[in-house]
């Protein structure tokens, strides 16, 4: 099946009891059993829910994986992956990644004896340099949030295999429409489904997709034992979001390119971070592993005084000042005080995330209107 068909039909079978074409929202906590231990495969909704099951089937299909698991948020999905590990195990992760992932690693899991090593994963040599016999997991995010750095997924998968470590890719920024890490050798794909998968800024959810049945069993065990499962209404919303993912991503890419070029040519803008420019340091890798470059980008102003940055952030009308991304509406965000405030300032600056960086999530509105809005705000 081709992508567009998969997005519409994956996981969707008419409800056998009514014929409803849409998977019902099975708002139930438990299931009546015919006799002790005799049931229809559903016992208790933390362990199984039909709406969640339909979504998990769809998630697996759109990431070209065998198994999907849905979680109550993106960080809950990340949390489940780290719970595969034991004290003393080592994780290699990007030095610039989503602030909430950094916070989970450094503030929650480090105290349980899991060792995190942060490197610039844009260069494979940097990853290789910190691999030890204790490396159990390589975690990458590509493109990174918010600096749009690119890591070579296939090359990282090769060194992870050699080291006997798992490779997990946070694929939130690209979405399954633009990039499929499992086909490039990754073991696990993670998404914040809150973003492009949901697509309408109305749900918090996360997911994992994988191929290896034993890895699926371990992660399912963690999902049901720790209990960070999404409710059926949220599963329904993400299922609905997936049906238009391809259409939305096509427009996010078109608008993203127009806005990136507009910003680059704007006399008041000093630098634009977008992985679709052919002079992006890892453009060749991005072009090879991604089908398009999406709607995420960041930029800096020539006048980078805090007052001017604040003025621009507060002056847009179509771009709403808010955290999050990947919805149909455009958002503007100040990573250093908002999404990435949980990373200490020295760490942020060391990795190139300045106090003046502005991040955009370009929506699917008319690009001309978005450009007028930004142009008026930047001045
Ligand atoms: C938002 C986000 C997360 C966390 O997901 P939640 O759904 O907010 O828990 C993880 N990674 C990236 C890249 C994100 O943008």
């Amino acid at each position: 099946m081709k992508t567009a068909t998969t997005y519409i039909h994956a996981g969707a079978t008419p409800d056998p009891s009514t014929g409803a074409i849409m998977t019902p929202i099975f708002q139930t906590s438990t299931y009546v059993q015919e006799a002790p231990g005799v049931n229809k495969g559903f016992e208790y909704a933390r362990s199984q829910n039909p709406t969640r099951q339909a979504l998990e089937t769809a998630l697996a299909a759109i990431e070209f994986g065998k198994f999907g698991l849905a979680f109550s948020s993106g960080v809950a999905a990340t949390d489940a992956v780290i719970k595969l590990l034991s004290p003393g195990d080592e994780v290699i992760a990007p030095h610039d990644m989503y602030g909430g992932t950094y916070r989970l690693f450094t503030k929650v899991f480090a105290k349980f004896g899991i060792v995190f090593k942060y490197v610039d994963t844009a260069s494979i040599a940097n990853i290789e340099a910190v691999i030890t016999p204790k490396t159990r997991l390589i975690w990458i995010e590509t493109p990174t949030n918010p600096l749009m750095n690119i890591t070579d997924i296939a090359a990282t998968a090769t060194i992870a295999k050699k080291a006997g470590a798992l490779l997990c890719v946070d694929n939130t920024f690209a979405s399954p429409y633009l990039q499929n890490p499992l086909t490039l050798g990754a073991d696990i794909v993670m998404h914040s489904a809150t973003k492009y998968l949901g697509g309408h800024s109305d749900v918090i959810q996360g997911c994992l997709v994988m191929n290896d049945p034993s890895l699926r069993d371990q992660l399912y065990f963690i999902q049901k034992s720790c209990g960070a499962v999404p409710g059926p209404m949220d599963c329904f919303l993400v299922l609905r979001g997936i049906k238009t993912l391809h259409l939305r991503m096509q427009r996010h890419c078109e608008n993203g390119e127009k806005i990136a070029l507009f910003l680059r040519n704007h006399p008041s803008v000093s630098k634009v971070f977008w992985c679709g420019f052919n002079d992006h340091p890892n453009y060749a890798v991005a072009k090879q592993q991604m089908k398009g470059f999406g709607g995420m980008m960041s930029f800096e102003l020539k006048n980078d005084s805090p007052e001017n940055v604040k003025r621009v952030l507060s002056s847009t009308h179509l771009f709403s000042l808010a955290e999050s991304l990947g919805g149909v509406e455009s958002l503007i965000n100040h990573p250093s005080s908002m999404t990435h405030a949980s990373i200490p300032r020295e760490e942020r600056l060391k990795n190139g995330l300045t106090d003046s960086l502005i991040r955009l999530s370009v929506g699917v509105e008319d690009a001309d209107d978005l450009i007028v809005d930004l142009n008026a705000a930047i001045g």
Side-chain angles (χ1 to χ4, degrees):
M1 244 193 290
K2 298 252 167 71
T3 305
T5 316
T6 303
Y7 285 11
I8 307 298
H9 291 283
T13 41
D15 175 49
S17 62
T18 61
I21 190 164
M22 287 303 147
T23 306
I25 300 162
F26 282 90
Q27 193 75 49
T28 189
S29 61
T30 192
Y31 309 87
V32 178
Q33 311 204 3
E34 286 160 43
V38 182
N39 58 58
K40 298 180 167 67
F42 298 92
E43 298 160 295
Y44 185 63
R46 175 159 30 78
S47 307
Q48 312 98 356
N49 178 286
T51 319
R52 194 171 89 217
Q53 207 170 60
L55 171 65
E56 291 178 339
T57 304
L59 291 166
I62 67 175
E63 271 296 8
F64 299 94
K66 289 202 177 79
F67 309 103
L69 292 170
F71 291 84
S72 54
S73 67
V75 293
T78 303
D79 172 271
V81 174
I82 304 303
K83 284 173 178 162
L84 292 166
L85 309 177
S86 303
D89 287 349
E90 294 180 2
V91 180
I92 300 170
H95 69 174
D96 65 323
M97 60 178 174
Y98 174 64
T101 308
Y102 178 84
R103 181 174 56 202
L104 179 67
F105 289 179
T106 56
K107 297 275 166 60
V108 179
F109 279 112
K111 68 168 184 266
F112 292 109
I114 295 174
V115 179
F116 296 91
K117 296 179 171 177
Y118 303 98
V119 298
D120 177 1
T121 58
S123 162
I124 295 299
N126 294 341
I127 304 179
E128 277 183 309
V130 293
I131 287 181
T132 77
K134 289 184 180 165
T135 307
R136 304 296 316 140
L137 174 70
I138 300 177
W139 181 278
I140 59 174
E141 185 180 300
T142 181
T144 57
N145 179 357
L147 289 170
M148 306 304 296
N149 287 318
I150 299 289
T151 297
D152 186 331
I153 299 171
T156 311
T158 304
I159 61 167
K161 261 186 197 82
K162 213 169 77 190
L166 292 171
L167 172 62
C168 182
V169 180
D170 181 340
N171 203 26
T172 302
F173 260 40
S175 89
Y177 181 70
L178 299 182
Q179 177 171 278
N180 300 111
L182 296 180
T183 65
L184 300 167
D187 298 289
I188 308 171
V189 175
M190 174 264 163
H191 282 279
S192 168
T194 310
K195 317 293 167 57
Y196 286 110
L197 289 172
H200 296 75
S201 308
D202 52 10
V203 66
I204 295 283
Q205 198 176 113
C207 73
L208 301 174
V209 182
M210 72 282 337
N211 278 317
D212 178 31
S214 98
L215 193 53
R216 187 265 171 197
D217 288 349
Q218 293 172 62
L219 289 164
Y220 172 66
F221 180 81
I222 293 167
Q223 183 198 39
K224 89 173 171 189
S225 302
C226 300
V229 290
M233 176 72 195
D234 291 350
C235 293
F236 175 87
L237 287 172
V238 175
L239 261 175
R240 184 161 81 163
I242 288 171
K243 290 181 196 294
T244 55
L245 180 64
H246 54 305
L247 303 172
R248 290 185 283 109
M249 289 316 297
Q250 285 160 18
R251 179 62 77 87
H252 282 298
C253 287
E254 280 169 32
N255 283 0
E257 179 169 356
K258 286 180 188 163
I259 304 281
L261 290 172
F262 156 77
L263 287 172
R264 187 170 230 195
N265 292 323
H266 197 290
S268 303
V269 172
S270 61
K271 185 152 190 209
V272 185
F273 301 81
W274 182 62
C275 56
F277 290 130
N278 61 14
D279 57 359
H280 182 288
N282 262 344
Y283 175 72
V285 175
K287 204 167 154 52
Q288 197 177 6
Q289 70 190 16
M290 299 174 77
K291 205 192 289 182
F293 305 110
M296 295 304 301
M297 67 196 65
S298 299
F299 66 98
E300 283 168 353
L301 297 161
K302 281 195 183 136
N303 174 359
D304 63 359
S305 67
E307 298 73 35
N308 193 44
V309 172
K310 210 177 207 172
R311 183 191 61 76
V312 172
L313 284 160
S314 315
S315 311
T316 53
H317 299 289
L318 293 175
F319 283 86
S320 302
L321 179 62
E323 300 196 4
S324 200
L325 61 109
V328 289
E329 59 287 302
S330 294
L331 300 180
I332 190 166
N333 164 50
H334 186 225
S336 65
S337 71
M338 295 167 66
T339 46
H340 291 67
S342 53
I343 302 175
R345 186 163 184 272
E346 324 76 77
E347 287 298 314
R348 287 199 308 265
L349 292 178
K350 214 165 66 192
N351 305 333
L353 201 172
T354 62
D355 291 341
S356 57
L357 192 80
I358 296 174
R359 190 188 78 180
L360 299 179
S361 171
V362 177
V364 300
E365 300 96 331
D366 191 292
D368 293 343
D369 289 332
L370 295 178
I371 286 171
V372 168
D373 189 39
L374 279 177
N375 199 35
I378 292 169

